[in-house]
Amino acid sequence: VKVYATQPLGSVDKDFAGMSVADDISNLAFRISGQILKMNVITGQSVKKGDVIAEINPREYSLQMEADKATYLTARSQMERNKRLLEKQAISRQDYEMADAAYVRAKSAYENSQTTLADTRLRAPFAGAVEKKYVDQQVMAGEPVVRLVNPITESVMFTMPESGLQTLKIPGIRFSVKFDNYPGVTFGARLKEYVQTSTQATGISVTLTLEGENLKKYDIAPGMSCMINLRVNNPDRPGLTAVPLTAVFERNDSNYVWTIDRERRTRLNRVELGEPIGSDMIAVESGLLPGDTVVTAGIYRINPNETVKIIK
């Protein structure tokens, strides 16, 4: 059989070590290739949104824009002339449409070359600090030039065991955060996101968003260590727990699960079910205690008081 160790849901009070992480972080890159003419920042420098980070030599792109501009102006003049001639029926509709198509192509090429010329300047998409410089000479399109990080954040991240995943799904869960840099100061927080499965058994990565009045008084920078308190307090339901849906089966209009004692012998437990938790768990109101070992695979081949082998 496969088993699952139930966790308390009615009363949880756990601490986790965590760290603040950047809200805004980006590897900035040019859309075009070229020789970097100017690098306007150094590592650690603060920049404002729209500041020019670096510049590519614009000469060839400027020449191309001027050539496209000349072609565009010529095509526009020809199209306007043909429009007047068409009104006087001095040219055919086909000749006019050919001139109009040439004008549209020339206009598109000119606008594109203007955009390309503007792309020779790499601008900061948000205010932040230059965390790292990658290149400062020849650069290819899409190749990272600098890494820009917002120096102020409202996000913290921590890792919890995969067995605690169902805790994140229950109503009434509360978080608080304390930073080493600010002793005695507590920040409120709410759940932002978490991964659904553990990667190589390393645990579940959970991200919180800080909130409350203290955010206006204290700046939180990425990389600050902290302690996160996770709390669920439901005094009316201290024995509330949850099991995977695969552990529950129906018999004589009642719901049951198999539990295993320390001698690995089976026992049939009648349970009262509560609300679903996520897509694969369900709350158990009564019939189980936190810490009970429940069978999750092989439930239809078991008899009471049998000795079973547990498959990891």
Side-chain angles (χ1 to χ4, degrees), residues 83-282:
K83 184 177 181 180
R84 292 192 297 269
L85 292 175
L86 180 66
E87 291 173 351
K88 298 177 181 179
Q89 298 183 351
I91 61 171
S92 67
R93 167 67 65 174
Q94 183 179 6
D95 288 339
Y96 169 76
E97 290 178 349
M98 291 176 60
D100 184 59
Y103 163 72
V104 171
R105 289 194 300 271
K107 181 181 180 183
S108 177
Y110 176 45
E111 291 175 346
N112 183 67
S113 62
Q114 286 180 306
T115 300
T116 301
L117 182 60
D119 286 341
T120 60
R121 291 188 169 192
L122 183 63
R123 297 182 181 274
F126 54 84
V130 178
E131 184 181 71
K132 184 177 181 180
K133 290 172 57 178
Y134 295 102
V135 295
D136 54 10
Q137 295 182 353
Q138 186 71 25
V139 66
M140 301 299 294
E143 183 180 1
V145 176
V146 297
R147 184 178 180 88
L148 187 65
V149 178
N150 190 332
I152 304 299
T153 184
E154 297 181 359
S155 299
V156 297
M157 181 179 289
F158 68 98
T159 302
M160 65 184 303
E162 191 171 3
S163 59
L165 180 61
Q166 73 275 12
T167 307
L168 299 174
K169 302 176 183 179
I170 62 177
I173 187 171
R174 292 183 296 170
F175 298 93
S176 59
V177 182
K178 293 183 179 180
F179 289 91
D180 296 346
N181 291 37
Y182 303 122
V185 180
T186 301
F187 294 79
R190 67 179 186 276
L191 183 63
K192 181 180 180 180
E193 60 185 5
Y194 58 90
V195 298
Q196 294 290 334
T197 58
S198 175
T199 303
Q200 298 180 347
T202 57
I204 300 295
S205 295
V206 183
T207 305
L208 307 178
T209 299
L210 299 172
E211 57 187 7
E213 291 297 319
N214 281 333
L215 270 180
K216 301 176 182 178
K217 303 176 184 177
Y218 303 94
D219 289 338
I220 307 300
M224 294 173 59
S225 58
C226 60
M227 290 297 297
I228 295 103
N229 178 258
L230 181 159
R231 179 170 296 185
V232 178
N233 188 14
N234 193 340
D236 298 330
R237 303 161 78 183
L240 181 66
T241 185
V243 296
L245 291 171
T246 56
V248 181
F249 62 96
E250 188 174 341
R251 181 179 294 180
N252 299 326
D253 296 326
S254 297
N255 294 303
Y256 291 87
V257 298
W258 290 106
T259 58
I260 298 175
D261 61 22
R262 293 182 179 179
E263 286 72 37
R264 295 190 177 180
R265 302 188 70 84
T266 58
R267 191 178 78 175
L268 188 63
N269 291 64
R270 181 179 176 181
V271 293
E272 296 293 332
L273 301 179
E275 295 294 323
I277 301 175
S279 61
D280 56 354
M281 301 287 292
I282 190 165

Side-chain angles (χ1 to χ4, degrees), residues 34-48:
Q35 181 75 26
I36 293 182
L37 189 66
K38 292 181 181 179
M39 177 62 73
N40 301 323
V41 297
I42 60 174
T43 301
Q45 181 176 334
S46 296
V47 298
K48 299 177 182 178

Side-chain angles (χ1 to χ4, degrees), residues 58-90:
R59 185 174 183 276
E60 63 175 290
Y61 298 108
S62 179
L63 291 174
Q64 183 62 52
M65 188 202 71
E66 291 299 330
D68 290 338
K69 180 180 180 181
T71 302
Y72 160 70
L73 292 176
T74 300
R76 185 179 67 177
S77 177
Q78 185 64 40
M79 187 273 295
E80 291 174 349
R81 177 176 178 275
N82 284 6
K83 184 177 181 180
R84 292 192 297 269
L85 292 175
L86 180 66
E87 291 173 351
K88 298 177 181 179
Q89 298 183 351

Side-chain angles (χ1 to χ4, degrees), residues 288-299:
L288 287 177
L289 293 175
D292 283 345
T293 301
V294 175
V295 178
T296 60
I299 61 176

